[in-house]
Structures are given as structure tokens and as C-alpha cells.
PDB file of all heavy atoms in Angstrom:
ATOM      1  N   ILE A   1     103.436 126.404  95.941  1.00  0.00           N
ATOM      2  CA  ILE A   1     103.318 125.794  97.275  1.00  0.00           C
ATOM      3  C   ILE A   1     101.881 125.900  97.769  1.00  0.00           C
ATOM      4  O   ILE A   1     101.299 124.929  98.236  1.00  0.00           O
ATOM      5  CB  ILE A   1     104.270 126.476  98.286  1.00  0.00           C
ATOM      6  CG1 ILE A   1     105.701 126.027  98.047  1.00  0.00           C
ATOM      7  CG2 ILE A   1     103.879 126.189  99.714  1.00  0.00           C
ATOM      8  CD1 ILE A   1     106.042 124.671  98.589  1.00  0.00           C
ATOM      9  N   ASN A   2     101.333 127.082  97.701  1.00  0.00           N
ATOM     10  CA  ASN A   2      99.960 127.300  98.157  1.00  0.00           C
ATOM     11  C   ASN A   2      99.004 127.243  96.971  1.00  0.00           C
ATOM     12  O   ASN A   2      99.235 127.871  95.944  1.00  0.00           O
ATOM     13  CB  ASN A   2      99.832 128.660  98.853  1.00  0.00           C
ATOM     14  CG  ASN A   2     100.719 128.734 100.074  1.00  0.00           C
ATOM     15  OD1 ASN A   2     100.682 127.851 100.920  1.00  0.00           O
ATOM     16  ND2 ASN A   2     101.538 129.764 100.151  1.00  0.00           N
ATOM     17  N   LYS A   3      97.936 126.486  97.128  1.00  0.00           N
ATOM     18  CA  LYS A   3      96.921 126.397  96.083  1.00  0.00           C
ATOM     19  C   LYS A   3      96.118 127.695  96.063  1.00  0.00           C
ATOM     20  O   LYS A   3      95.662 128.162  97.097  1.00  0.00           O
ATOM     21  CB  LYS A   3      95.987 125.220  96.339  1.00  0.00           C
ATOM     22  CG  LYS A   3      95.013 124.993  95.208  1.00  0.00           C
ATOM     23  CD  LYS A   3      93.980 123.899  95.358  1.00  0.00           C
ATOM     24  CE  LYS A   3      94.176 122.867  96.372  1.00  0.00           C
ATOM     25  NZ  LYS A   3      93.128 121.847  96.411  1.00  0.00           N
ATOM     26  N   THR A   4      95.976 128.258  94.869  1.00  0.00           N
ATOM     27  CA  THR A   4      95.184 129.474  94.687  1.00  0.00           C
ATOM     28  C   THR A   4      94.185 129.237  93.554  1.00  0.00           C
ATOM     29  O   THR A   4      94.275 128.245  92.833  1.00  0.00           O
ATOM     30  CB  THR A   4      96.079 130.678  94.321  1.00  0.00           C
ATOM     31  OG1 THR A   4      96.642 130.450  93.012  1.00  0.00           O
ATOM     32  CG2 THR A   4      97.187 130.897  95.332  1.00  0.00           C
ATOM     33  N   THR A   5      93.272 130.163  93.377  1.00  0.00           N
ATOM     34  CA  THR A   5      92.324 130.036  92.272  1.00  0.00           C
ATOM     35  C   THR A   5      93.055 130.113  90.929  1.00  0.00           C
ATOM     36  O   THR A   5      92.617 129.509  89.962  1.00  0.00           O
ATOM     37  CB  THR A   5      91.236 131.126  92.341  1.00  0.00           C
ATOM     38  OG1 THR A   5      91.851 132.405  92.401  1.00  0.00           O
ATOM     39  CG2 THR A   5      90.342 130.929  93.543  1.00  0.00           C
ATOM     40  N   ASN A   6      94.178 130.831  90.889  1.00  0.00           N
ATOM     41  CA  ASN A   6      94.935 130.969  89.642  1.00  0.00           C
ATOM     42  C   ASN A   6      95.741 129.728  89.277  1.00  0.00           C
ATOM     43  O   ASN A   6      96.000 129.484  88.103  1.00  0.00           O
ATOM     44  CB  ASN A   6      95.888 132.171  89.716  1.00  0.00           C
ATOM     45  CG  ASN A   6      95.142 133.475  89.739  1.00  0.00           C
ATOM     46  OD1 ASN A   6      94.039 133.584  89.232  1.00  0.00           O
ATOM     47  ND2 ASN A   6      95.746 134.481  90.341  1.00  0.00           N
ATOM     48  N   ASN A   7      96.186 128.947  90.277  1.00  0.00           N
ATOM     49  CA  ASN A   7      97.073 127.826  89.970  1.00  0.00           C
ATOM     50  C   ASN A   7      96.477 126.446  90.249  1.00  0.00           C
ATOM     51  O   ASN A   7      97.119 125.435  89.975  1.00  0.00           O
ATOM     52  CB  ASN A   7      98.400 127.971  90.714  1.00  0.00           C
ATOM     53  CG  ASN A   7      98.306 127.708  92.202  1.00  0.00           C
ATOM     54  OD1 ASN A   7      97.372 127.101  92.711  1.00  0.00           O
ATOM     55  ND2 ASN A   7      99.307 128.171  92.929  1.00  0.00           N
ATOM     56  N   LYS A   8      95.272 126.378  90.801  1.00  0.00           N
ATOM     57  CA  LYS A   8      94.761 125.091  91.287  1.00  0.00           C
ATOM     58  C   LYS A   8      94.644 124.021  90.207  1.00  0.00           C
ATOM     59  O   LYS A   8      94.952 122.860  90.454  1.00  0.00           O
ATOM     60  CB  LYS A   8      93.446 125.256  92.047  1.00  0.00           C
ATOM     61  CG  LYS A   8      92.261 125.649  91.222  1.00  0.00           C
ATOM     62  CD  LYS A   8      91.015 125.781  92.080  1.00  0.00           C
ATOM     63  CE  LYS A   8      89.831 126.197  91.241  1.00  0.00           C
ATOM     64  NZ  LYS A   8      88.631 126.303  92.049  1.00  0.00           N
ATOM     65  N   VAL A   9      94.237 124.360  89.008  1.00  0.00           N
ATOM     66  CA  VAL A   9      94.079 123.365  87.946  1.00  0.00           C
ATOM     67  C   VAL A   9      95.447 122.833  87.513  1.00  0.00           C
ATOM     68  O   VAL A   9      95.671 121.623  87.460  1.00  0.00           O
ATOM     69  CB  VAL A   9      93.304 123.949  86.743  1.00  0.00           C
ATOM     70  CG1 VAL A   9      93.326 122.992  85.566  1.00  0.00           C
ATOM     71  CG2 VAL A   9      91.879 124.284  87.146  1.00  0.00           C
ATOM     72  N   GLU A  10      96.361 123.740  87.229  1.00  0.00           N
ATOM     73  CA  GLU A  10      97.709 123.338  86.788  1.00  0.00           C
ATOM     74  C   GLU A  10      98.449 122.603  87.907  1.00  0.00           C
ATOM     75  O   GLU A  10      99.127 121.604  87.670  1.00  0.00           O
ATOM     76  CB  GLU A  10      98.495 124.582  86.357  1.00  0.00           C
ATOM     77  CG  GLU A  10      99.557 124.311  85.360  1.00  0.00           C
ATOM     78  CD  GLU A  10      99.027 123.882  83.991  1.00  0.00           C
ATOM     79  OE1 GLU A  10      97.821 123.970  83.710  1.00  0.00           O
ATOM     80  OE2 GLU A  10      99.846 123.434  83.191  1.00  0.00           O
ATOM     81  N   ARG A  11      98.293 123.073  89.127  1.00  0.00           N
ATOM     82  CA  ARG A  11      98.918 122.438  90.294  1.00  0.00           C
ATOM     83  C   ARG A  11      98.453 120.996  90.429  1.00  0.00           C
ATOM     84  O   ARG A  11      99.250 120.092  90.653  1.00  0.00           O
ATOM     85  CB  ARG A  11      98.561 123.247  91.549  1.00  0.00           C
ATOM     86  CG  ARG A  11      99.261 122.838  92.808  1.00  0.00           C
ATOM     87  CD  ARG A  11      98.793 123.760  93.952  1.00  0.00           C
ATOM     88  NE  ARG A  11      99.592 123.620  95.129  1.00  0.00           N
ATOM     89  CZ  ARG A  11      99.430 122.680  96.061  1.00  0.00           C
ATOM     90  NH1 ARG A  11      98.481 121.777  95.921  1.00  0.00           N
ATOM     91  NH2 ARG A  11     100.213 122.621  97.108  1.00  0.00           N
ATOM     92  N   GLU A  12      97.176 120.762  90.256  1.00  0.00           N
ATOM     93  CA  GLU A  12      96.616 119.413  90.371  1.00  0.00           C
ATOM     94  C   GLU A  12      97.123 118.509  89.254  1.00  0.00           C
ATOM     95  O   GLU A  12      97.419 117.329  89.486  1.00  0.00           O
ATOM     96  CB  GLU A  12      95.089 119.468  90.372  1.00  0.00           C
ATOM     97  CG  GLU A  12      94.436 118.199  90.814  1.00  0.00           C
ATOM     98  CD  GLU A  12      94.737 117.807  92.257  1.00  0.00           C
ATOM     99  OE1 GLU A  12      94.998 118.687  93.103  1.00  0.00           O
ATOM    100  OE2 GLU A  12      94.723 116.598  92.553  1.00  0.00           O
ATOM    101  N   LYS A  13      97.254 119.040  88.046  1.00  0.00           N
ATOM    102  CA  LYS A  13      97.779 118.251  86.928  1.00  0.00           C
ATOM    103  C   LYS A  13      99.220 117.806  87.204  1.00  0.00           C
ATOM    104  O   LYS A  13      99.590 116.671  86.907  1.00  0.00           O
ATOM    105  CB  LYS A  13      97.717 119.049  85.632  1.00  0.00           C
ATOM    106  CG  LYS A  13      96.324 119.222  85.083  1.00  0.00           C
ATOM    107  CD  LYS A  13      96.345 120.065  83.821  1.00  0.00           C
ATOM    108  CE  LYS A  13      94.953 120.315  83.282  1.00  0.00           C
ATOM    109  NZ  LYS A  13      94.980 121.140  82.059  1.00  0.00           N
ATOM    110  N   ILE A  14     100.012 118.705  87.766  1.00  0.00           N
ATOM    111  CA  ILE A  14     101.401 118.376  88.088  1.00  0.00           C
ATOM    112  C   ILE A  14     101.449 117.311  89.177  1.00  0.00           C
ATOM    113  O   ILE A  14     102.175 116.316  89.064  1.00  0.00           O
ATOM    114  CB  ILE A  14     102.169 119.654  88.512  1.00  0.00           C
ATOM    115  CG1 ILE A  14     102.293 120.612  87.323  1.00  0.00           C
ATOM    116  CG2 ILE A  14     103.542 119.290  89.071  1.00  0.00           C
ATOM    117  CD1 ILE A  14     102.735 122.013  87.695  1.00  0.00           C
ATOM    118  N   LEU A  15     100.663 117.500  90.228  1.00  0.00           N
ATOM    119  CA  LEU A  15     100.638 116.516  91.312  1.00  0.00           C
ATOM    120  C   LEU A  15     100.106 115.164  90.834  1.00  0.00           C
ATOM    121  O   LEU A  15     100.603 114.115  91.263  1.00  0.00           O
ATOM    122  CB  LEU A  15      99.820 117.039  92.495  1.00  0.00           C
ATOM    123  CG  LEU A  15     100.481 118.171  93.284  1.00  0.00           C
ATOM    124  CD1 LEU A  15      99.496 118.772  94.273  1.00  0.00           C
ATOM    125  CD2 LEU A  15     101.734 117.694  93.985  1.00  0.00           C
ATOM    126  N   ASP A  16      99.133 115.165  89.942  1.00  0.00           N
ATOM    127  CA  ASP A  16      98.625 113.912  89.387  1.00  0.00           C
ATOM    128  C   ASP A  16      99.729 113.153  88.643  1.00  0.00           C
ATOM    129  O   ASP A  16      99.829 111.928  88.752  1.00  0.00           O
ATOM    130  CB  ASP A  16      97.447 114.157  88.443  1.00  0.00           C
ATOM    131  CG  ASP A  16      96.153 114.473  89.171  1.00  0.00           C
ATOM    132  OD1 ASP A  16      96.066 114.229  90.399  1.00  0.00           O
ATOM    133  OD2 ASP A  16      95.216 114.972  88.502  1.00  0.00           O
ATOM    134  N   ALA A  17     100.538 113.884  87.884  1.00  0.00           N
ATOM    135  CA  ALA A  17     101.646 113.241  87.159  1.00  0.00           C
ATOM    136  C   ALA A  17     102.644 112.612  88.139  1.00  0.00           C
ATOM    137  O   ALA A  17     103.138 111.506  87.902  1.00  0.00           O
ATOM    138  CB  ALA A  17     102.347 114.257  86.265  1.00  0.00           C
ATOM    139  N   ILE A  18     102.894 113.298  89.256  1.00  0.00           N
ATOM    140  CA  ILE A  18     103.832 112.759  90.252  1.00  0.00           C
ATOM    141  C   ILE A  18     103.202 111.570  90.981  1.00  0.00           C
ATOM    142  O   ILE A  18     103.883 110.580  91.268  1.00  0.00           O
ATOM    143  CB  ILE A  18     104.262 113.851  91.239  1.00  0.00           C
ATOM    144  CG1 ILE A  18     105.007 114.947  90.492  1.00  0.00           C
ATOM    145  CG2 ILE A  18     105.157 113.267  92.326  1.00  0.00           C
ATOM    146  CD1 ILE A  18     105.247 116.173  91.316  1.00  0.00           C
ATOM    147  N   ARG A  19     101.929 111.654  91.281  1.00  0.00           N
ATOM    148  CA  ARG A  19     101.243 110.523  91.922  1.00  0.00           C
ATOM    149  C   ARG A  19     101.339 109.267  91.055  1.00  0.00           C
ATOM    150  O   ARG A  19     101.609 108.167  91.546  1.00  0.00           O
ATOM    151  CB  ARG A  19      99.771 110.852  92.174  1.00  0.00           C
ATOM    152  CG  ARG A  19      99.538 111.803  93.303  1.00  0.00           C
ATOM    153  CD  ARG A  19      98.023 111.987  93.544  1.00  0.00           C
ATOM    154  NE  ARG A  19      97.819 113.170  94.334  1.00  0.00           N
ATOM    155  CZ  ARG A  19      97.398 114.345  93.872  1.00  0.00           C
ATOM    156  NH1 ARG A  19      97.075 114.484  92.598  1.00  0.00           N
ATOM    157  NH2 ARG A  19      97.254 115.375  94.671  1.00  0.00           N
ATOM    158  N   LYS A  20     101.110 109.447  89.774  1.00  0.00           N
ATOM    159  CA  LYS A  20     101.181 108.324  88.834  1.00  0.00           C
ATOM    160  C   LYS A  20     102.591 107.727  88.832  1.00  0.00           C
ATOM    161  O   LYS A  20     102.744 106.504  88.859  1.00  0.00           O
ATOM    162  CB  LYS A  20     100.790 108.812  87.439  1.00  0.00           C
ATOM    163  CG  LYS A  20     100.749 107.747  86.388  1.00  0.00           C
ATOM    164  CD  LYS A  20     100.295 108.331  85.062  1.00  0.00           C
ATOM    165  CE  LYS A  20     100.325 107.289  83.963  1.00  0.00           C
ATOM    166  NZ  LYS A  20      99.934 107.865  82.673  1.00  0.00           N
ATOM    167  N   GLU A  21     103.594 108.578  88.801  1.00  0.00           N
ATOM    168  CA  GLU A  21     104.988 108.109  88.812  1.00  0.00           C
ATOM    169  C   GLU A  21     105.324 107.414  90.133  1.00  0.00           C
ATOM    170  O   GLU A  21     105.995 106.382  90.147  1.00  0.00           O
ATOM    171  CB  GLU A  21     105.956 109.273  88.560  1.00  0.00           C
ATOM    172  CG  GLU A  21     107.404 108.870  88.473  1.00  0.00           C
ATOM    173  CD  GLU A  21     107.739 107.989  87.278  1.00  0.00           C
ATOM    174  OE1 GLU A  21     107.002 108.009  86.270  1.00  0.00           O
ATOM    175  OE2 GLU A  21     108.764 107.277  87.348  1.00  0.00           O
ATOM    176  N   GLY A  22     104.853 107.970  91.242  1.00  0.00           N
ATOM    177  CA  GLY A  22     105.088 107.358  92.550  1.00  0.00           C
ATOM    178  C   GLY A  22     104.486 105.967  92.627  1.00  0.00           C
ATOM    179  O   GLY A  22     105.112 105.032  93.137  1.00  0.00           O
ATOM    180  N   LYS A  23     103.278 105.823  92.127  1.00  0.00           N
ATOM    181  CA  LYS A  23     102.619 104.515  92.136  1.00  0.00           C
ATOM    182  C   LYS A  23     103.362 103.533  91.236  1.00  0.00           C
ATOM    183  O   LYS A  23     103.536 102.362  91.572  1.00  0.00           O
ATOM    184  CB  LYS A  23     101.164 104.646  91.710  1.00  0.00           C
ATOM    185  CG  LYS A  23     100.388 103.367  91.871  1.00  0.00           C
ATOM    186  CD  LYS A  23      98.910 103.552  91.617  1.00  0.00           C
ATOM    187  CE  LYS A  23      98.176 102.235  91.849  1.00  0.00           C
ATOM    188  NZ  LYS A  23      96.748 102.377  91.620  1.00  0.00           N
ATOM    189  N   LYS A  24     103.817 104.020  90.082  1.00  0.00           N
ATOM    190  CA  LYS A  24     104.555 103.180  89.142  1.00  0.00           C
ATOM    191  C   LYS A  24     105.858 102.677  89.774  1.00  0.00           C
ATOM    192  O   LYS A  24     106.188 101.499  89.662  1.00  0.00           O
ATOM    193  CB  LYS A  24     104.864 103.987  87.874  1.00  0.00           C
ATOM    194  CG  LYS A  24     105.672 103.273  86.831  1.00  0.00           C
ATOM    195  CD  LYS A  24     105.875 104.187  85.633  1.00  0.00           C
ATOM    196  CE  LYS A  24     107.090 103.824  84.839  1.00  0.00           C
ATOM    197  NZ  LYS A  24     107.368 104.802  83.788  1.00  0.00           N
ATOM    198  N   GLN A  25     106.573 103.564  90.463  1.00  0.00           N
ATOM    199  CA  GLN A  25     107.870 103.197  91.038  1.00  0.00           C
ATOM    200  C   GLN A  25     107.753 102.379  92.319  1.00  0.00           C
ATOM    201  O   GLN A  25     108.601 101.539  92.580  1.00  0.00           O
ATOM    202  CB  GLN A  25     108.707 104.446  91.325  1.00  0.00           C
ATOM    203  CG  GLN A  25     109.283 105.104  90.108  1.00  0.00           C
ATOM    204  CD  GLN A  25     110.265 106.205  90.471  1.00  0.00           C
ATOM    205  OE1 GLN A  25     110.869 106.221  91.526  1.00  0.00           O
ATOM    206  NE2 GLN A  25     110.430 107.150  89.558  1.00  0.00           N
ATOM    207  N   THR A  26     106.732 102.630  93.125  1.00  0.00           N
ATOM    208  CA  THR A  26     106.692 102.024  94.462  1.00  0.00           C
ATOM    209  C   THR A  26     105.489 101.118  94.713  1.00  0.00           C
ATOM    210  O   THR A  26     105.410 100.498  95.770  1.00  0.00           O
ATOM    211  CB  THR A  26     106.694 103.115  95.544  1.00  0.00           C
ATOM    212  OG1 THR A  26     105.463 103.838  95.476  1.00  0.00           O
ATOM    213  CG2 THR A  26     107.878 104.058  95.400  1.00  0.00           C
ATOM    214  N   LYS A  27     104.529 101.091  93.803  1.00  0.00           N
ATOM    215  CA  LYS A  27     103.298 100.292  93.953  1.00  0.00           C
ATOM    216  C   LYS A  27     102.459 100.741  95.156  1.00  0.00           C
ATOM    217  O   LYS A  27     101.740  99.954  95.755  1.00  0.00           O
ATOM    218  CB  LYS A  27     103.613  98.789  94.083  1.00  0.00           C
ATOM    219  CG  LYS A  27     104.570  98.235  93.066  1.00  0.00           C
ATOM    220  CD  LYS A  27     104.019  98.294  91.662  1.00  0.00           C
ATOM    221  CE  LYS A  27     104.935  97.609  90.672  1.00  0.00           C
ATOM    222  NZ  LYS A  27     105.807  98.445  89.917  1.00  0.00           N
ATOM    223  N   GLN A  28     102.563 102.030  95.516  1.00  0.00           N
ATOM    224  CA  GLN A  28     101.789 102.606  96.617  1.00  0.00           C
ATOM    225  C   GLN A  28     101.181 103.918  96.137  1.00  0.00           C
ATOM    226  O   GLN A  28     101.725 104.572  95.253  1.00  0.00           O
ATOM    227  CB  GLN A  28     102.687 102.880  97.831  1.00  0.00           C
ATOM    228  CG  GLN A  28     103.351 101.630  98.385  1.00  0.00           C
ATOM    229  CD  GLN A  28     104.329 101.961  99.488  1.00  0.00           C
ATOM    230  OE1 GLN A  28     103.919 102.294 100.587  1.00  0.00           O
ATOM    231  NE2 GLN A  28     105.617 101.868  99.190  1.00  0.00           N
ATOM    232  N   GLU A  29     100.052 104.306  96.735  1.00  0.00           N
ATOM    233  CA  GLU A  29      99.423 105.585  96.394  1.00  0.00           C
ATOM    234  C   GLU A  29      99.770 106.600  97.471  1.00  0.00           C
ATOM    235  O   GLU A  29      99.652 106.311  98.665  1.00  0.00           O
ATOM    236  CB  GLU A  29      97.915 105.414  96.259  1.00  0.00           C
ATOM    237  CG  GLU A  29      97.533 104.583  95.058  1.00  0.00           C
ATOM    238  CD  GLU A  29      96.044 104.549  94.818  1.00  0.00           C
ATOM    239  OE1 GLU A  29      95.271 104.985  95.690  1.00  0.00           O
ATOM    240  OE2 GLU A  29      95.660 104.087  93.731  1.00  0.00           O
ATOM    241  N   PHE A  30     100.172 107.787  97.029  1.00  0.00           N
ATOM    242  CA  PHE A  30     100.670 108.792  97.951  1.00  0.00           C
ATOM    243  C   PHE A  30      99.868 110.088  97.936  1.00  0.00           C
ATOM    244  O   PHE A  30      99.213 110.430  96.962  1.00  0.00           O
ATOM    245  CB  PHE A  30     102.120 109.149  97.609  1.00  0.00           C
ATOM    246  CG  PHE A  30     103.081 108.018  97.726  1.00  0.00           C
ATOM    247  CD1 PHE A  30     103.874 107.664  96.663  1.00  0.00           C
ATOM    248  CD2 PHE A  30     103.199 107.299  98.910  1.00  0.00           C
ATOM    249  CE1 PHE A  30     104.787 106.624  96.765  1.00  0.00           C
ATOM    250  CE2 PHE A  30     104.105 106.258  99.029  1.00  0.00           C
ATOM    251  CZ  PHE A  30     104.896 105.923  97.952  1.00  0.00           C
ATOM    252  N   ILE A  31     100.023 110.803  99.037  1.00  0.00           N
ATOM    253  CA  ILE A  31      99.603 112.194  99.164  1.00  0.00           C
ATOM    254  C   ILE A  31     100.900 112.976  99.336  1.00  0.00           C
ATOM    255  O   ILE A  31     101.775 112.585 100.100  1.00  0.00           O
ATOM    256  CB  ILE A  31      98.696 112.397 100.392  1.00  0.00           C
ATOM    257  CG1 ILE A  31      97.373 111.635 100.192  1.00  0.00           C
ATOM    258  CG2 ILE A  31      98.433 113.882 100.635  1.00  0.00           C
ATOM    259  CD1 ILE A  31      96.496 111.635 101.420  1.00  0.00           C
ATOM    260  N   PHE A  32     101.009 114.087  98.615  1.00  0.00           N
ATOM    261  CA  PHE A  32     102.221 114.887  98.677  1.00  0.00           C
ATOM    262  C   PHE A  32     101.963 116.198  99.405  1.00  0.00           C
ATOM    263  O   PHE A  32     100.932 116.829  99.205  1.00  0.00           O
ATOM    264  CB  PHE A  32     102.731 115.185  97.268  1.00  0.00           C
ATOM    265  CG  PHE A  32     103.133 113.954  96.524  1.00  0.00           C
ATOM    266  CD1 PHE A  32     102.319 113.412  95.553  1.00  0.00           C
ATOM    267  CD2 PHE A  32     104.326 113.320  96.808  1.00  0.00           C
ATOM    268  CE1 PHE A  32     102.682 112.273  94.860  1.00  0.00           C
ATOM    269  CE2 PHE A  32     104.711 112.178  96.131  1.00  0.00           C
ATOM    270  CZ  PHE A  32     103.882 111.653  95.155  1.00  0.00           C
ATOM    271  N   LYS A  33     102.928 116.586 100.225  1.00  0.00           N
ATOM    272  CA  LYS A  33     102.908 117.885 100.881  1.00  0.00           C
ATOM    273  C   LYS A  33     104.203 118.603 100.486  1.00  0.00           C
ATOM    274  O   LYS A  33     105.230 118.483 101.144  1.00  0.00           O
ATOM    275  CB  LYS A  33     102.822 117.727 102.403  1.00  0.00           C
ATOM    276  CG  LYS A  33     102.719 119.046 103.117  1.00  0.00           C
ATOM    277  CD  LYS A  33     102.629 118.858 104.610  1.00  0.00           C
ATOM    278  CE  LYS A  33     102.614 120.206 105.305  1.00  0.00           C
ATOM    279  NZ  LYS A  33     102.753 120.063 106.749  1.00  0.00           N
ATOM    280  N   PRO A  34     104.157 119.337  99.358  1.00  0.00           N
ATOM    281  CA  PRO A  34     105.378 119.974  98.846  1.00  0.00           C
ATOM    282  C   PRO A  34     105.926 121.054  99.775  1.00  0.00           C
ATOM    283  O   PRO A  34     105.159 121.813 100.376  1.00  0.00           O
ATOM    284  CB  PRO A  34     104.933 120.605  97.528  1.00  0.00           C
ATOM    285  CG  PRO A  34     103.652 119.937  97.181  1.00  0.00           C
ATOM    286  CD  PRO A  34     103.020 119.552  98.470  1.00  0.00           C
ATOM    287  N   TYR A  35     107.239 121.108  99.879  1.00  0.00           N
ATOM    288  CA  TYR A  35     107.891 122.213 100.572  1.00  0.00           C
ATOM    289  C   TYR A  35     108.702 123.057  99.588  1.00  0.00           C
ATOM    290  O   TYR A  35     109.214 124.103  99.947  1.00  0.00           O
ATOM    291  CB  TYR A  35     108.744 121.755 101.762  1.00  0.00           C
ATOM    292  CG  TYR A  35     109.703 120.625 101.501  1.00  0.00           C
ATOM    293  CD1 TYR A  35     110.985 120.866 101.042  1.00  0.00           C
ATOM    294  CD2 TYR A  35     109.328 119.313 101.740  1.00  0.00           C
ATOM    295  CE1 TYR A  35     111.868 119.833 100.814  1.00  0.00           C
ATOM    296  CE2 TYR A  35     110.204 118.268 101.523  1.00  0.00           C
ATOM    297  CZ  TYR A  35     111.478 118.538 101.060  1.00  0.00           C
ATOM    298  OH  TYR A  35     112.354 117.498 100.838  1.00  0.00           O
ATOM    299  N   LYS A  36     108.788 122.620  98.349  1.00  0.00           N
ATOM    300  CA  LYS A  36     109.303 123.422  97.235  1.00  0.00           C
ATOM    301  C   LYS A  36     108.493 123.004  96.015  1.00  0.00           C
ATOM    302  O   LYS A  36     108.378 121.815  95.716  1.00  0.00           O
ATOM    303  CB  LYS A  36     110.785 123.164  97.008  1.00  0.00           C
ATOM    304  CG  LYS A  36     111.390 124.073  95.956  1.00  0.00           C
ATOM    305  CD  LYS A  36     112.871 123.831  95.778  1.00  0.00           C
ATOM    306  CE  LYS A  36     113.615 124.403  96.954  1.00  0.00           C
ATOM    307  NZ  LYS A  36     115.066 124.379  96.763  1.00  0.00           N
ATOM    308  N   PHE A  37     107.885 123.973  95.338  1.00  0.00           N
ATOM    309  CA  PHE A  37     107.011 123.666  94.205  1.00  0.00           C
ATOM    310  C   PHE A  37     107.111 124.843  93.240  1.00  0.00           C
ATOM    311  O   PHE A  37     106.324 125.780  93.288  1.00  0.00           O
ATOM    312  CB  PHE A  37     105.586 123.487  94.716  1.00  0.00           C
ATOM    313  CG  PHE A  37     104.626 122.826  93.755  1.00  0.00           C
ATOM    314  CD1 PHE A  37     103.593 122.052  94.246  1.00  0.00           C
ATOM    315  CD2 PHE A  37     104.720 122.985  92.386  1.00  0.00           C
ATOM    316  CE1 PHE A  37     102.676 121.436  93.399  1.00  0.00           C
ATOM    317  CE2 PHE A  37     103.822 122.382  91.525  1.00  0.00           C
ATOM    318  CZ  PHE A  37     102.796 121.605  92.036  1.00  0.00           C
TER     319      PHE A  37
END
């Protein structure tokens, strides 16, 4: 949920994969604010 120095790279890779999927499904670019991660 919270970005830290230990998880920031992996966290960004995961969010990038979801952004790509969101754009593919909806044709829109999103920003995500996770409440469970």
C-alpha cells in the first residue's frame, strides 16, 4: 500500500502492468490509488 525504498521498483512494475491492462480494456489512461495491495 505504501511505497517504500524496499518495494518501490516492484510496486511500480505491478502498477505499470495494471495500467497497461486498464488502457487495453477501457481505452483510457488511469492513476491508481490502491486500498489493498
Side-chain angles (χ1 to χ4, degrees):
I1 285 282
N2 299 309
K3 186 183 343 181
T4 67
T5 54
N6 292 333
N7 73 18
K8 69 180 179 179
V9 171
E10 206 68 11
R11 187 180 191 277
E12 194 63 28
K13 288 178 183 180
I14 294 167
L15 289 170
D16 284 345
I18 297 169
R19 286 184 197 103
K20 183 178 177 182
E21 183 66 23
K23 187 173 182 180
K24 178 179 156 187
Q25 286 189 25
T26 67
K27 312 295 186 261
Q28 299 174 74
E29 292 187 349
F30 298 125
I31 294 173
F32 296 103
K33 183 180 176 190
Y35 49 88
K36 186 178 286 188
F37 195 149

